[in-house]
């Protein structure tokens, strides 16, 4: 069964999610935002083994805790990211622009792609490619739990910004309509910033893409 521990960390108050299969105790961190030692401690106290770091995208505030997590683990976690965000990852997630120099941790060696199935014990995650906020942004859908980790694609009452390098409003809107609004209305949307919402709620009332 999927278990989730949420954190809000770092200078951009980014949400990080520690997810695990409670039976196998295999864990992944979706967007290890900042303060890796806090995430690590939460895993260790539950007896979970972090085997994967999954990045919705490579902005510095979503990967800033990766170095500290990886430093404490042997074997190293496998890092997964869409290849279109590798350039951003190499550039430290754009942190220098905001005055932050992060330890990015191990190089991503798993390439996300549309429709890819990721397994965590018995739990399956589906990768959906959702460019717009960054060129390689992806979201992770867990149909068995009716939730979708949507990074900085869509928020409760808002959407990801498209004014940073590689951002594109038309792509973002298209990604939301084809990859999020096609999910069942009751699907929960834990995002990269702010409170959780649902697909139905955003379809109805999101001021940027709602009113459906
Ligand atoms: Zn971002
Ligand atoms: Zn963010």
């Amino acid at each position: 069964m999927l278990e989730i521990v949420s954190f809000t960390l770092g200078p951009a108050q980014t949400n990080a999610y520690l997810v695990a299969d409670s039976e196998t105790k295999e864990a992944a961190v979706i967007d290890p935002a900042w303060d890796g030692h806090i995430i690590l401690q939460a895993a260790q106290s539950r007896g979970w083994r972090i085997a994967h770091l999954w990045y919705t995208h490579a902005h510095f505030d979503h990967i800033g805790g990766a170095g500290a997590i990886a430093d404490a683990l042997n074997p190293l976690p496998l890092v997964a990211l869409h290849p279109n965000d590798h350039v951003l990852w190499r550039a430290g997630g754009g942190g220098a622009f905001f005055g932050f120099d992060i330890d990015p941790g191990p190089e991503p060696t798993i390439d996300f792609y549309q429709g890819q199935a990721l397994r965590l014990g018995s739990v399956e995650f589906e990768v959906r490619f959702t460019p717009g906020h960054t060129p390689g942004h992806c979201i992770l859908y867990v149909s068995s739990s009716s939730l979708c980790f949507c990074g900085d694609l869509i928020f409760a009452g808002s959407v990801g910004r498209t004014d940073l390098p590689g951002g594109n409003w038309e792509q973002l809107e298209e990604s939301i309509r084809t990859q999020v609004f096609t999910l069942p209305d009751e699907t929960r949307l834990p995002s990269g910033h702010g409170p959780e919402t649902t697909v139905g709620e955003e379809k109805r009332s999101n001021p940027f893409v709602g009113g459906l």
Side-chain angles (χ1 to χ4, degrees):
M1 205 189 105
L2 180 67
E3 282 197 48
I4 305 167
V5 184
S6 313
F7 310 81
T8 302
L9 301 168
Q13 291 287 286
T14 305
N15 296 328
Y17 300 95
L18 173 64
V19 295
D21 179 321
S22 50
E23 272 120 60
T24 64
K25 303 195 181 296
E26 186 182 11
V29 183
I30 299 172
D31 291 353
W34 213 256
D35 292 329
H37 62 282
I38 294 175
I39 300 170
L40 203 56
Q41 164 72 40
Q44 284 168 346
S45 71
R46 289 166 176 79
W48 294 351
R49 187 180 68 83
I50 298 174
H52 309 277
L53 301 179
W54 292 336
Y55 302 161
T56 60
H57 64 297
H59 275 152
F60 75 99
D61 62 304
H62 290 251
I63 63 174
I69 292 173
D71 282 351
L73 296 176
N74 185 15
L76 285 175
L78 293 174
V79 180
L81 174 69
H82 192 282
N84 288 8
D85 262 22
H86 281 186
V87 169
L88 181 59
W89 184 85
R90 284 208 180 76
F97 186 72
F98 296 94
F100 294 103
D101 185 19
I102 59 157
D103 171 0
E107 178 134 5
T109 56
I110 311 285
D111 286 348
F112 278 157
Y113 57 88
Q114 170 73 13
Q116 183 178 17
L118 307 171
R119 292 204 80 85
L120 194 63
S122 62
V123 184
E124 190 170 301
F125 294 69
E126 178 195 334
V127 177
R128 295 181 158 224
F129 176 49
T130 54
H133 175 67
T134 64
H137 194 287
C138 289
I139 60 177
L140 301 174
Y141 176 49
V142 189
S143 64
S144 59
S145 299
S146 282
L147 58 90
C148 185
F149 295 93
C150 58
D152 286 2
L153 176 61
I154 184 166
F155 308 114
S158 189
V159 295
R161 57 193 286 188
T162 55
D163 59 324
L164 295 169
N168 181 301
W169 167 255
E170 284 75 27
Q171 280 186 341
L172 183 100
E173 193 176 23
E174 168 88 359
S175 292
I176 292 171
R177 295 201 188 286
T178 62
Q179 303 301 325
V180 179
F181 285 179
T182 50
L183 298 172
D185 276 4
E186 65 274 16
T187 308
R188 293 158 54 200
L189 298 176
S191 72
H193 302 273
E196 187 178 298
T197 182
T198 64
V199 169
E201 177 63 24
E202 296 316 307
K203 267 177 159 175
R204 272 190 300 278
S205 64
N206 189 292
F208 300 92
V209 288
L212 299 180

